[in-house]
Amino acid sequence: MIIWIASYPKSGNTWVRAFLSAYLNSADGKFNFDLLDKINEFPDHNILNKLMDNEDFYNLSEVSKHWIKVQELINLNKKLTFLKTHSSLCNINGNKFTNSDNTLALIHVVRDPRNVTLSMANHFGITQEESYKIISDEKYIIYPKKENQLIPSTLISSWNNHYLSWKNSGSIKKILIKYEDLIKNTKDTFKKIINFLNKHSSIKYNEEKFINSINATDFDNLKRNEDKYGFNMGQKNKFFYLGKENDWKKLLDSKIRDKINNQFKSEMNELGYI
């Protein structure tokens, strides 16, 4: 069965994925970027290639027809499978992104949209205003990039729609993780994730491996690894950029800040961001 690591882009998904990759897929909790391949991104282009013409990867309606089928094929192995996604939990023409038949649980990672705006601006090499327009766009879709691999179209939507879609995921067992808690209380927050997984799967807590995984995947280590080995996720600039120094209070234009506060007031209040 599938356990999702779902988040809006630039919200900490890769950090959680790196920690879990080290904890679950290494002997001692040590990390390297190759381990990230143990947790694939969904939609999975490799399986989709078998179900549809990859030229149609640009057509979200066509891609959506195969979401559940791909998950059913993944679940044929009868194993626990972690999948990363930036997709909203959407329904396109009656095609659901996932369902309780294929999903065991959900790790939902959320970040203050003011810092998402800054991080996304760096990631894509765009202005803060352009970044704000992205997180405000209810129809925001990531399209394939024909470089090393084909990536199927993915509906991200706006920051608040994305958050609400996963929050309102019905009967799916879920845990909400705030990026800010990962920064401030790293050990306690990751332990919260492991305890959640232990409750709903056979994953056990191992103190030594847990500490090693945290240390191996802290921001400075990930940044050093990127500097040494590279890490290409389609970004214009460094992927691991400022970390906790990415502070909207210091770096975000006040006009953009006010737009975000006004547009996402309800959800930001709910999450304790304002």
Side-chain angles (χ1 to χ4, degrees):
M1 291 284 280
I2 294 168
I3 295 180
W4 298 98
I5 309 171
S7 77
Y8 204 81
K10 306 308 297 177
S11 296
N13 197 309
T14 299
W15 188 6
V16 173
R17 184 177 167 216
F19 166 78
L20 287 174
S21 295
Y23 187 79
L24 299 174
N25 298 300
S26 72
D28 51 10
K30 300 300 174 62
F31 174 78
N32 63 72
F33 283 133
D34 289 340
L35 286 174
L36 289 177
D37 293 336
K38 300 291 186 179
I39 300 179
N40 291 323
E41 184 159 7
F42 189 90
D44 189 309
H45 67 284
N46 291 312
I47 299 177
L48 268 178
N49 270 331
K50 302 171 184 177
L51 300 176
M52 62 183 291
D53 189 331
N54 58 31
E55 291 300 319
D56 286 332
F57 280 8
Y58 284 89
N59 188 329
L60 183 61
S61 294
E62 288 300 311
V63 171
S64 72
K65 294 176 182 178
H66 302 285
W67 283 335
I68 296 300
K69 181 61 177 178
V70 171
Q71 292 170 44
E72 289 172 346
L73 291 172
I74 290 171
N75 282 326
L76 284 176
N77 63 19
K78 304 295 183 182
K79 296 179 180 179
L80 198 62
T81 302
F82 285 83
L83 292 176
K84 163 192 173 177
T85 191
H86 289 313
S87 176
S88 60
L89 187 58
C90 52
N91 184 322
I92 297 178
N93 299 327
N95 300 309
K96 294 182 179 180
F97 180 77
T98 190
N99 56 32
S100 57
D101 291 334
N102 287 288
T103 295
L104 176 64
L106 158 68
I107 301 168
H108 183 193
V109 189
V110 178
R111 187 181 191 183
D112 189 317
R114 293 165 294 193
N115 282 331
V116 171
T117 301
L118 287 172
S119 190
M120 192 172 284
N122 171 75
H123 185 89
F124 290 120
I126 58 179
T127 66
Q128 291 183 18
E129 177 66 31
E130 290 170 322
S131 184
Y132 164 71
K133 287 180 180 178
I134 288 176
I135 73 165
S136 303
D137 185 358
E138 295 182 358
K139 297 181 180 180
Y140 175 47
I141 297 172
I142 293 178
Y143 287 101
K145 294 182 179 180
K146 294 186 177 180
E147 297 176 346
N148 296 329
Q149 65 180 26
L150 294 172
I151 304 171
S153 302
T154 302
L155 177 62
I156 309 297
S157 194
S158 60
W159 176 86
N160 59 330
N161 279 357
H162 189 282
Y163 161 67
L164 291 172
S165 74
W166 287 103
K167 174 196 169 187
N168 299 322
S169 56
S171 61
I172 295 176
K173 306 175 189 72
K174 53 186 170 285
I175 183 172
L176 176 68
I177 298 297
K178 292 168 65 175
Y179 179 87
E180 294 74 20
D181 291 335
L182 285 171
I183 292 286
K184 296 175 184 176
N185 302 296
T186 305
K187 183 177 179 180
D188 289 344
T189 306
F190 276 125
K191 184 175 285 189
K192 185 178 176 182
I193 292 175
I194 295 299
N195 288 337
F196 170 77
L197 295 175
N198 174 252
K199 183 177 179 181
H200 300 294
S201 73
S202 59
I203 293 170
K204 305 296 183 184
Y205 177 76
N206 180 300
E207 178 73 14
E208 181 178 359
K209 198 173 185 182
F210 176 78
I211 296 300
N212 287 344
S213 297
I214 286 178
N215 291 336
T217 59
D218 73 12
F219 181 81
D220 290 338
N221 276 334
L222 292 174
K223 187 175 177 64
R224 280 192 290 270
N225 276 327
E226 180 181 14
D227 291 340
K228 187 175 182 178
Y229 303 110
F231 185 60
N232 183 9
M233 295 294 287
Q235 74 271 16
K236 295 289 186 181
N237 300 306
K238 290 287 186 180
F239 186 90
F240 299 101
Y241 176 46
L242 291 177
K244 63 183 178 182
E245 300 303 321
N246 186 75
D247 186 354
W248 65 266
K249 297 186 185 80
K250 300 176 182 178
L251 302 173
L252 188 64
D253 182 275
S254 60
K255 292 180 180 177
I256 303 296
R257 176 203 64 204
D258 290 345
K259 287 181 180 180
I260 293 171
N261 288 350
N262 289 332
Q263 182 165 354
F264 304 138
K265 182 178 180 180
S266 176
E267 294 79 19
M268 291 175 71
N269 254 319
E270 183 177 301
L271 289 162
Y273 290 141
I274 55 176

